[in-house]
């Protein structure tokens, strides 16, 4: 049986999982369900009604992109896994992934605030999300600029590279004023990844929820 990946590719979290699956050569059936419009269909597998949700051959469903990738890494084995198996290399890699996905969380929150609360946005929340997004972009920019290799941790693409690239695309589409010329190293990182076949294949222009 083929695994089922639920969620649209305009989500940076769904996209990072789908790209990793393509790079691992793991087939999946894609259900591009919307978190709002198709919430009931998602709920049949995941009561949180969130994506990505990965339905395994057994029928059990995994959620949270990091946990899904951990499962996939285990499936392909340590030689092919796109993250070190343990030690310092692993926690450092996790740290960049967490900064990227945290940035993604804040960019999604800010988008929901803008589209779902339109005329009654909470300024305090908008300002908080904006500073969190900017703070992480600045840190990632500094750290990426210091890396000499094609990818964050060497010659091979890793989960951190994919997470950062997927989140940057999302931030650029959802909040273009926040991802601008201040971040040349991140821009170059994004362009390098987006030029790879799985990134070009697995992509969807952002369609914000209508509420
Ligand atoms: N930490 C989660 C974040 C997933 C997430 O925020 N997904 C969004 C779509 S981009 C979602 O499901 N939103 C609907 C909701 O949170 O109710 C992960 O890494 O998978």
């Amino acid at each position: 049986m083929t695994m089922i990946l639920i969620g649209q590719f305009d989500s940076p979290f769904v996209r990072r999982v789908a790209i990793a699956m393509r790079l691992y050569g793991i087939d999946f059936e894609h259900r591009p369900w919307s978190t709002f419009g198709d919430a009931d269909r998602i709920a049949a597998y995941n009561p949180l009604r969130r994506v990505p949700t990965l339905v395994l051959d057994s029928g059990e469903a995994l959620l949270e992109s990091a946990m899904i990738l951990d499962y996939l890494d285990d499936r392909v084995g340590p030689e092919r896994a796109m993250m070190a198996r343990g030690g310092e290399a692993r926690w450092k890699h996790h740290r960049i992934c967490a900064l990227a996905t945290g940035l993604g969380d804040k960019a999604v929150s800010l988008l929901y605030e803008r589209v779902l609360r339109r005329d009654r946005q909470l300024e305090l929340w908008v300002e908080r999300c904006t500073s969190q997004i900017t703070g992480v972009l600045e840190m990632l920019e500094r750290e990426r600029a210091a890396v000499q290799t094609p990818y964050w941790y060497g010659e091979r693409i890793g989960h951190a590279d994919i997470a950062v690239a997927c989140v940057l695309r999302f931030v650029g589409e959802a909040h273009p004023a926040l991802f601008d010329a201040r971040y040349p190293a991140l821009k170059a990182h994004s362009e390098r990844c987006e030029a790879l076949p799985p990134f070009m294949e697995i992509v969807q222009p952002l369609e914000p929820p209508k509420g």
Side-chain angles (χ1 to χ4, degrees):
M1 259 180 67
T2 314
M3 290 187 279
I4 300 169
L5 178 62
I6 300 174
Q8 301 194 354
F9 294 150
D10 62 353
S11 156
F13 308 100
V14 178
R15 191 171 179 232
R16 75 184 289 229
V17 168
I19 287 171
M21 290 181 89
R22 196 58 94 237
L23 287 167
Y24 284 155
I26 299 175
D27 284 339
F28 60 91
E29 210 179 294
H30 184 212
R31 304 265 165 88
W33 293 342
S34 150
T35 45
F36 284 81
D38 301 305
D40 292 341
R41 289 210 265 188
I42 299 171
Y45 297 96
N46 173 2
L48 276 172
R49 297 158 159 81
R50 299 186 90 193
V51 296
T53 295
L54 183 72
V55 186
L56 307 182
D57 314 357
S58 62
E60 283 164 298
L62 298 184
L63 50 147
E64 285 294 323
S65 58
M67 186 174 85
I68 294 172
L69 293 174
D70 190 62
Y71 167 82
L72 295 171
D73 287 355
D74 201 47
R75 238 176 115 122
V76 299
E79 293 307 314
R80 296 189 59 220
M82 290 189 283
M83 185 183 281
R85 194 199 315 217
E88 180 177 320
R90 185 172 176 85
W91 66 252
K92 285 195 165 171
H93 201 133
H94 266 309
R95 177 180 163 273
I96 299 297
C97 289
L99 282 167
T101 53
L103 169 58
D105 286 334
K106 291 297 152 181
V108 169
S109 290
L110 185 57
L111 179 69
Y112 288 170
E113 187 68 18
R114 286 193 167 141
V115 299
L116 301 179
R117 287 166 58 92
R118 282 180 207 103
D119 305 330
R120 49 203 163 83
Q121 287 177 41
L122 186 59
E123 213 38 55
L124 180 71
W125 184 245
V126 169
E127 276 169 22
R128 183 178 167 84
C129 291
T130 304
S131 350
Q132 288 166 310
I133 290 168
T134 302
V136 177
L137 284 173
E138 286 171 353
M139 176 174 270
L140 288 175
E141 171 67 20
R142 277 196 305 277
E143 298 198 18
R144 187 62 177 100
V147 170
Q148 304 299 323
T149 47
Y151 295 105
W152 221 290
Y153 292 110
E155 304 295 320
R156 277 176 63 197
I157 192 164
H159 291 310
D161 299 297
I162 303 172
V164 171
C166 290
V167 166
L168 289 177
R169 185 178 192 107
F170 181 84
V171 177
E173 291 187 9
H175 313 293
L178 296 185
F179 183 46
D180 56 16
R182 284 171 288 174
Y183 311 105
L186 291 180
K187 182 116 203 317
H189 177 87
S190 165
E191 284 169 1
R192 180 188 293 276
C193 292
E194 295 292 350
L196 299 172
F199 284 78
M200 289 197 287
E201 179 210 334
I202 297 169
V203 67
Q204 178 188 332
L206 176 63
E207 216 176 292
K210 293 175 188 67

